[in-house]
Structure formats: structure tokens, C-alpha cells
């Protein structure tokens, strides 16, 4: 298992829980300072809480957009969490006019108004396939927006809240979770461990 | 579907749990990390830590306590008590809290809610409200640990706080707290009907039926303290009973 993961700072994101979760798996973490760090890292985590627009601006200010797109396109081990999943899409209703990373076809939309929002708490994750990293189980969510469909070329998982939404995406060594694996107990820790064990071309 | 949450609450003073918890096999019953971890193992969905320190020195320990608990806890952690500024919130979030709860300081200066939500997001901004019944009038907000009755309408305050950016409401019935008479379901219904954000029920739980009543009244989560600490029930036993009466909690 790899000994270190590199975390992208997306501004408001609170990364203490992510760092603690990797710490419990005996994996050290560091923060990416330059686009080169993003390109060279064996494993990258794109976390994120807060809003789509400010997070993308922070990525652009650090010049990391292209490095992130490249490593995801090249199937280098990358984990996106919560807002991180949404940043992979073309854009979001939360911040119209702000371009996402665009590695996932689709636009992120707000959860229906008639529901309690944010979607906050534990909900069931149902993978579409049983030969990837994702396993069925309960995960902790805190989201007001969601990706409505799994784009072509990706596998993933569904979760039901009013209607179904995309709770995870995966393709090779790239895993994106709308939920927080670092806050999803033993189930989440096992998912992080499986992602760490996946061998990318980089390592 | 989204499961109603069961959330143990620990009161901490100077880094130590205030109310004794009767776990015979816990090496250190005053250690908040050991207790939080124990509740996670029993199936708790989140943990709330309220710093009830009376002195500034005691409150200074809240950050260290948060870091300590975070290191062993793999479920969400909310920390509240004495949060007066955005910087207070920042320190707790950096130490590993996933959400911070504001109470008295937000009543005194409601813009605090907007400031914390704008900087860190609504999803980590919790408004804690202590509400007390009044004769013939709706509930009023009480602050400073119940010593001060404000005359502010509690439901109006909750609505205002949600519009300012509070992403969750932790609502304690001052009349029911410590009585074991059950949650104030009228208060919970009124609050859940007034805002679209989740409401956490607090104050008065003695058994699983009380928890079910709160959830049926519209609460998204239930806070439980003394019956767990006094070993009257465990998280696992409460969840088992909730499932048997048709409440779909997380296994």
C-alpha cells in the first residue's frame, strides 16, 4: 500500500477529517502546492465542502486545472470527495457560468425543493456493478446538489433521496464519492483502503 | 432513503466528560475520545460534543479535545459551546470538527451565522437553540445555559437562522431537558414545519418510543445523552427497538 496521498486545497474545504481517516490507515498526507505536485503525486485527493464556484476559482488560482484533468484522463489514482465529485462535471446550477473540470459529462443540479435540504445524514449506496471498488452499504452525506445521471464511460453507484441521484462514480483508478468516505465508519474506511490498494500506472 | 440519525451528546468541561458514564469496561470514563469511539462502535450516526466549561481556560481545551476525538472517530463530529467568532469556528473545524454549533453568541449577533456559513458553508453551520414554553404564548429562546429568558420567539429565530445560512438546527426543549418525559413534539413539529433544513430533537428522551415520537413529529435526528451515559440503554438497543417499531435507522 502506498505511504502517502496528496490533498488539493479547495479553499473552504475542511480536510482534518480526511487527514485523520488516512492517518488511521497509516497513510501520511501532504498538501499539493504546485501543479507539478498534482502531476507527480502517486495519489491525489480532491476534497471539498462549500460552493462550486469558489472551489473551482481556488483550483484555477493555483493553476491546477489542467494537471487534474490530465491525471484523471490518464487514469492516475485520484479520489474526489463530496463537492470534489461535482467539480469533475461540466458545471453546476450552484454557480452558473463557472466551468467545472469537465472530465464527467453532465451538469450538477439542486435537489428538489420539496425535500429537506441539505441531504444530511446516512443513506444507502447501491453500486451498478460488483467488480469495482464500490460496495453496497451506508454512507454519510452532506449535499444540496447532485449529479443526476452516470455518464457514459463511467461506472458508479445510486442513492435514493426523493428520486435517485449519483452517489459515486468510478473508472479504473479514479473514484469520486458524493458521500464522505472519511466519515462513513468502517464501510468508508474499507472503501478508502481499496482505493489505496488499486495500482495505477503511476505507482 | 435517508435514515433518521441517533446522536449521542457528550458534555465536556476542561477536556473531561462531565456526566459520569457507566461503562464498566472503559479504561477512562472521563475521556471524551474513548466514549465517542465506544458510541461509534455501538452504531451512533454522529457525535455531538458540547463544551460546558465555565472558564476561558477550560474552553481553551475544546480544540485539543476535538483533535483527540477526531483521531479515533470515523463518523461526523459536531462541536459547540462558547463559539463566539468565525475564528473560534475555524479553530474547531481545523482541529477536526465537521460542524460547529453556535448558540448564545448568535442570539446576541445573528450575523455570526452568516459569517460562518459564508466562510465554511452551511453544511458545517449548526444553530443550537434552547426553547422554553411560555403561558399562552409560543416558545421563547433562552440563553446562557437557561439563565436568561430573551422573549425572542423561538420558531421565528429558527427561521431567521436558516435564512442566514444555518444548515441544521439543534433544538433543545428547556422544559423537557433532564425530565425523561419525552421530547417536546409540538415544538419539533412547529420547527420542522418552519424550516427546510434538518432539525435535531434534544431534551427529554428516556426510551425508544420517545425517539420515534420525535422522528414522527418531523425531526431528522435525535440527540440522546443521559440514558446512554447512565447505561439505561445503548445506541444498539435503541436502534433495535426503533427498527421494531418501523423506524428505518441505519443498521
Amino acid at each position: 500500500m502506498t505511504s502517502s496521498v496528496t490533498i488539493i486545497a479547495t479553499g473552504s474545504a475542511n480536510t482534518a477529517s480526511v487527514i485523520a481517516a488516512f492517518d488511521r490507515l497509516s497513510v501520511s498526507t501532504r498538501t499539493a502546492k504546485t501543479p507539478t505536485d498534482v502531476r507527480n503525486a502517486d495519489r491525489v485527493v480532491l476534497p471539498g465542502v462549500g460552493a462550486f464556484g469558489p472551489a473551482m476559482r481556488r483550483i484555477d488560482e493555483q493553476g491546477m486545472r489542467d494537471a487534474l484533468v490530465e491525471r484523471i484522463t490518464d487514469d492516475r489514482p485520484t479520489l474526489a470527495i463530496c463537492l470534489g465529485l461535482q467539480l469533475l462535471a461540466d458545471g453546476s446550477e450552484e454557480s452558473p457560468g463557472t466551468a467545472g473540470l469537465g472530465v464527467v459529462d453532465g451538469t450538477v443540479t439542486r435537489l428538489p425543493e420539496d425535500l429537506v435540504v441539505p441531504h444530511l445524514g446516512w443513506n444507502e449506496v447501491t453500486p451498478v456493478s460488483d467488480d469495482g471498488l464500490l460496495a453496497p452499504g451506508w454512507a454519510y452525506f452532506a449535499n444540496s446538489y447532485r449529479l443526476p445521471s452516470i455518464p457514459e464511460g463511467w461506472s458508479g453507484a445510486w442513492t435514493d433521496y426523493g428520486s435517485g441521484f449519483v452517489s459515486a462514480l468510478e473508472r479504473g483508478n479514479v473514484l469520486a464519492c458524493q458521500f464522505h468516505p472519511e466519515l462513513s465508519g468502517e464501510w468508508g474506511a474499507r472503501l478508502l483502503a481499496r482505493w489505496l490498494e488499486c495500482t495505477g500506472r503511476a505507482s | 432513503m435517508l435514515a433518521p440519525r441517533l446522536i449521542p451528546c457528550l458534555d465536556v468541561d476542561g477536556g473531561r466528560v462531565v456526566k459520569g458514564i457507566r461503562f464498566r469496561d472503559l479504561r477512562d470514563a472521563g475521556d471524551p475520545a474513548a466514549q465517542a469511539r465506544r458510541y461509534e462502535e455501538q452504531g451512533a450516526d454522529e457525535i455531538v460534543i458540547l463544551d460546558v466549561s465555565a472558564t476561558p481556560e477550560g474552553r481553551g481545551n475544546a480544540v485539543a479535545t476535538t483533535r483527540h476525538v477526531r483521531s479515533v472517530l470515523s463518523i461526523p463530529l459536531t462541536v459547540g459551546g462558547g463559539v463566539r467568532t468565525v475564528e473560534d469556528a475555524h479553530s474547531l473545524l481545523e482541529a477536526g470538527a465537521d460542524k460547529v454549533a453556535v448558540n448564545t453568541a448568535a442570539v446576541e449577533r445573528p450575523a455570526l451565522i452568516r459569517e460562518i456559513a459564508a466562510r465554511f458553508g452551511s453544511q458545517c453551520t449548526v444553530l443550537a437553540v434552547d426553547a422554553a414554553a411560555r403561558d399562552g404564548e409560543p416558545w421563547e429562546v433562552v440563553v446562557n445555559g437557561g439563565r436568561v429568558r430573551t422573549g425572542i420567539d423561538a420558531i421565528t429565530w429558527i427561521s431567521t437562522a436558516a435564512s442566514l445560512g444555518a444548515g441544521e438546527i439543534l433544538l433543545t426543549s428547556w422544559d423537557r431537558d433532564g425530565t425523561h418525559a419525552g421530547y417536546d413534539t409540538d415544538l419539533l413539529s412547529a420547527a420542522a414545519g418552519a424550516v427546510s433544513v434538518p432539525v435535531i430533537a434534544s431534551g427529554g428522551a428516556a426510551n425508544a418510543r420517545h425517539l420515534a415520537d420525535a422522528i414522527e413529529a418531523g425531526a431528522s435526528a435525535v440527540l440522546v445523552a443521559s440514558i446512554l451515559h447512565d447505561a439505561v440503554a445503548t445506541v444498539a438497543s435503541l436502534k433495535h427497538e426503533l427498527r421494531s417499531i418501523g423506524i428505518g435507522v441505519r443498521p
Side-chain angles (χ1 to χ4, degrees):
Chain A
M1 191 182 286
T2 185
S3 60
S4 171
V5 300
T6 300
I7 297 177
I8 312 282
T10 47
S12 64
N14 168 31
T15 54
S17 295
V18 175
I19 292 168
F22 282 113
D23 201 42
R24 284 191 293 273
L25 294 165
S26 304
V27 173
S28 66
T29 50
R30 54 190 165 201
T31 304
K33 295 192 171 59
T34 66
T36 307
D37 289 347
V38 179
R39 288 199 172 84
N40 291 348
D42 285 347
R43 284 170 169 77
V44 159
V45 175
L46 177 63
V49 294
F52 189 93
M56 265 332 296
R57 271 197 295 284
R58 183 75 191 273
I59 288 169
D60 282 334
E61 279 162 15
Q62 299 177 94
M64 292 177 179
R65 176 187 288 264
D66 292 348
L68 275 166
V69 169
E70 276 170 35
R71 65 174 298 130
I72 292 166
T73 308
D74 293 345
D75 195 27
R76 306 269 311 282
T78 306
L79 169 65
I81 298 174
C82 193
L83 178 65
L85 176 147
Q86 300 176 10
L87 297 177
L88 304 187
D90 294 323
S92 171
E93 280 184 3
E94 188 177 15
S95 306
T98 300
L101 295 173
V103 290
V104 163
D105 288 334
T107 299
V108 174
T109 53
R110 192 174 160 83
L111 286 164
E113 296 291 338
D114 56 337
L115 298 171
V116 173
V117 175
H119 170 238
L120 194 73
W122 296 77
N123 204 334
E124 276 183 281
V125 173
T126 308
V128 296
S129 143
D130 58 6
D131 52 10
L133 297 171
L134 293 160
W138 287 81
Y140 182 81
F141 290 84
N143 62 304
S144 300
Y145 293 81
R146 83 324 197 182
L147 190 68
S149 61
I150 298 177
E152 228 176 279
W154 291 82
S155 184
W158 289 96
T159 290
D160 185 42
Y161 190 54
S163 58
F165 72 88
V166 178
S167 49
L169 291 170
E170 67 173 309
R171 189 179 70 188
N173 297 315
V174 178
L175 173 66
C177 307
Q178 180 59 68
F179 52 85
H180 288 271
E182 78 280 16
L183 298 177
S184 296
E186 281 300 310
W187 179 86
R190 285 197 297 272
L191 177 60
L192 291 176
R194 286 195 296 277
W195 175 73
L196 288 165
E197 281 159 12
C198 79
T199 49
R201 270 175 271 166
S203 46
Chain B
M1 280 305 297
L2 189 65
R5 288 165 284 154
L6 198 159
I7 308 176
C9 177
L10 302 174
D11 286 354
V12 171
D13 183 349
R16 306 287 294 171
V17 175
V18 178
K19 292 165 192 162
I21 301 186
R22 296 182 197 163
F23 289 148
R24 286 194 189 83
D25 51 341
L26 262 192
R27 196 166 43 85
D28 180 357
D31 177 9
Q35 289 177 3
R37 178 68 203 164
R38 172 62 177 253
Y39 288 138
E40 178 184 338
E41 286 164 1
Q42 290 181 359
D45 295 309
E46 295 185 33
I47 298 290
V48 167
I49 288 182
L50 293 179
D51 183 28
V52 297
S53 302
T55 65
E57 298 76 37
R59 279 195 294 277
N61 288 319
V63 169
T65 299
T66 300
R67 195 171 288 121
H68 186 40
V69 173
R70 174 79 283 155
S71 69
V72 300
L73 196 69
S74 57
I75 58 175
L77 173 64
T78 299
V79 182
V83 176
R84 306 201 64 84
T85 66
V86 171
E87 278 316 307
D88 290 342
H90 189 207
S91 302
L92 293 170
L93 292 169
E94 274 205 328
D98 300 295
K99 310 179 222 181
V100 290
V102 293
N103 189 333
T104 302
V107 174
E108 292 167 355
R109 200 174 65 81
L112 178 63
I113 296 168
R114 189 192 295 131
E115 291 164 11
I116 295 174
R119 177 116 174 244
F120 307 110
S122 289
Q123 79 292 331
C124 59
T125 310
V126 179
L127 177 77
V129 180
D130 297 329
R134 290 180 289 191
D135 275 344
E137 280 186 84
W139 303 268
E140 71 175 315
V141 176
V142 297
V143 296
N144 291 114
R147 292 188 297 276
V148 179
R149 288 183 167 253
T150 63
I152 297 168
D153 182 273
I155 302 302
T156 304
W157 169 228
I158 287 166
S159 300
T160 303
S163 67
L164 287 170
E168 198 168 25
I169 309 294
L170 168 51
L171 178 56
T172 301
S173 164
W174 197 249
D175 310 298
R176 298 297 179 92
D177 203 28
T179 65
H180 292 187
Y183 298 100
D184 186 340
T185 50
D186 292 336
L187 172 64
L188 291 167
S189 299
V195 292
S196 67
V197 298
V199 174
I200 305 170
S202 165
N207 54 52
R209 184 66 250 169
H210 290 155
L211 274 53
D213 291 343
I215 292 159
E216 283 160 3
S220 297
V222 286
L223 202 76
V224 181
S226 62
I227 57 169
L228 294 178
H229 304 335
D230 296 343
V232 172
T234 65
V235 176
S237 74
L238 290 171
K239 281 191 155 184
H240 177 79
E241 288 178 64
L242 282 170
R243 270 192 295 278
S244 74
I245 50 180
I247 305 286
V249 289
R250 177 178 69 108

